[in-house]
Amino acid sequence: MLINACSNDEVKYDTAVVKDFQIQLNGEPWSLNTGISTKPIFIYKNDGEFFANYSSHYRFALDNGAYKFIATDIPEQMVPSPVNLNDLIIPQAVNADQPVKISAAMPYVSPFKDTLTMNILTRSGILRLKAMDKTADPAYTYIKTIVKVKRNGYKVADETFVQQDMEVSRTKKTTTGGINYTDDFILFQTDEAANKVSIRIQFLKDNMEVVSTKEISGSFPILANGVTQINLNLNDPDTPVIQNYVATVNGEAYTAKKINQKQ
């Protein structure tokens, strides 16, 4: 059998190796721990068609061409199924219990010589309610908090939010008549004042009969990767609208009057 060797010049490859990339989380270097099999990198063709999902532990080869890369540290939650990038919309979780953390769609063209940086950004923040009551109210045993939001989805392809009203809610049992009640709601960042969230609270018996409903006056900003905390009294009598509270937005405190002046 005669085997003819081919020179490197005669062998043509239509692939290139992606080897120089960095992943950040909110601007800080991020990497997978050794041994973890999570695949944080998603690759799409230039027209948005899903192409591949890779680990960040290794270099990998792609056919020559133009691609778009995204990265997330929670891939199963952010990209649960392979869809066209233009159709990839991350919904606001109805229970307000899922952070949204994903990079922009970064263009990358063969031969992949430049460094590709994928910065995973937190697109959500926390709304925290904390009761400051000293006196219990035995009339109710459950607290249902309903938060009205103006954004119900995040479109990855162009980093925009889907503007549509939506209510998220959670019901929590209390054995202390509201004393020490606290709860966190994970919501999309609001950015503009028109997107601030509003809150009402229902107080229920064991049979889920509503005893009373109270609104919290004003509306509140949600900062990306931040915390908006509202310290309030649930049990003040004759207060269908709660106006006596202190809201702290990323460490800066506002009374109800001051935060309403910022609307």
Side-chain angles (χ1 to χ4, degrees):
M1 179 182 295
L2 178 63
I3 300 177
N4 292 323
C6 297
S7 70
N8 288 337
D9 291 335
E10 293 173 323
V11 178
K12 302 297 182 183
Y13 293 98
D14 292 326
T15 62
V17 176
V18 178
K19 57 185 178 180
D20 192 5
F21 60 86
Q22 301 173 351
I23 301 179
Q24 299 174 347
L25 178 59
N26 295 315
E28 298 295 329
W30 179 88
S31 61
L32 278 177
N33 291 329
T34 303
I36 294 179
S37 59
T38 299
K39 297 179 179 180
I41 299 173
F42 292 83
I43 304 172
Y44 300 82
K45 294 182 179 180
N46 201 45
D47 63 359
E49 180 185 352
F50 176 79
F51 183 78
N53 178 209
Y54 285 105
S55 170
S56 57
H57 284 316
Y58 314 105
R59 299 174 177 180
F60 47 87
L62 297 178
D63 294 339
N64 287 326
Y67 298 88
K68 293 179 180 178
F69 283 57
I70 63 172
T72 173
D73 60 330
I74 45 175
E76 292 182 358
Q77 291 77 24
M78 296 296 95
V79 191
S81 60
V83 299
N84 190 291
L85 178 61
N86 299 309
D87 298 325
L88 180 56
I89 297 176
I90 302 171
Q92 167 65 57
V94 294
N95 294 321
D97 56 359
Q98 176 60 62
V100 175
K101 297 190 289 182
I102 197 163
S103 74
M106 303 300 297
Y108 205 33
V109 180
S110 59
F112 312 126
K113 291 184 177 180
D114 297 329
T115 300
L116 172 65
T117 299
M118 293 167 281
N119 185 18
I120 301 168
L121 294 176
T122 303
R123 316 282 179 168
S124 56
I126 293 173
L127 171 67
R128 176 172 296 146
L129 301 184
K130 185 175 182 180
M132 308 302 290
D133 297 86
K134 302 299 182 183
T135 303
D137 185 345
Y140 63 87
T141 52
Y142 287 89
I143 299 170
K144 181 178 182 179
T145 301
I146 302 141
V147 184
K148 185 176 181 179
V149 302
K150 299 291 186 179
R151 292 173 161 177
N152 75 347
Y154 174 74
K155 190 173 182 181
V156 177
D158 58 6
E159 294 186 278
T160 59
F161 290 91
V162 180
Q163 299 291 143
Q164 185 170 330
D165 289 359
M166 175 183 178
E167 288 188 345
V168 300
S169 65
R170 188 177 305 135
T171 301
K172 196 169 186 179
K173 186 173 179 61
T174 174
T175 59
T176 59
I179 293 176
N180 296 326
Y181 165 81
T182 185
D183 210 353
D184 285 0
F185 299 81
I186 303 174
L187 309 168
F188 284 127
Q189 64 192 71
T190 52
D191 297 318
E192 299 85 7
N195 297 321
K196 290 182 179 181
V197 305
S198 56
I199 308 159
R200 71 181 188 274
I201 302 173
Q202 293 180 341
F203 303 88
L204 305 97
K205 298 179 180 180
D206 280 335
N207 63 0
M208 296 293 112
E209 178 186 349
V210 177
V211 176
S212 62
T213 300
K214 296 184 178 183
E215 295 183 0
I216 302 177
S217 68
S219 56
F220 304 91
I222 305 298
L223 275 59
N225 202 33
V227 177
T228 298
Q229 178 167 314
I230 304 173
N231 295 347
L232 73 165
N233 289 331
L234 297 174
N235 298 333
D236 286 350
D238 304 319
T239 53
V241 178
I242 299 173
Q243 301 185 56
N244 184 23
Y245 61 80
V246 174
T248 304
V249 182
N250 272 10
E252 186 173 355
Y254 299 89
T255 62
K257 181 178 180 180
K258 286 184 178 180
I259 203 162
N260 288 329
Q261 288 173 345
K262 292 172 67 66
Q263 306 301 326

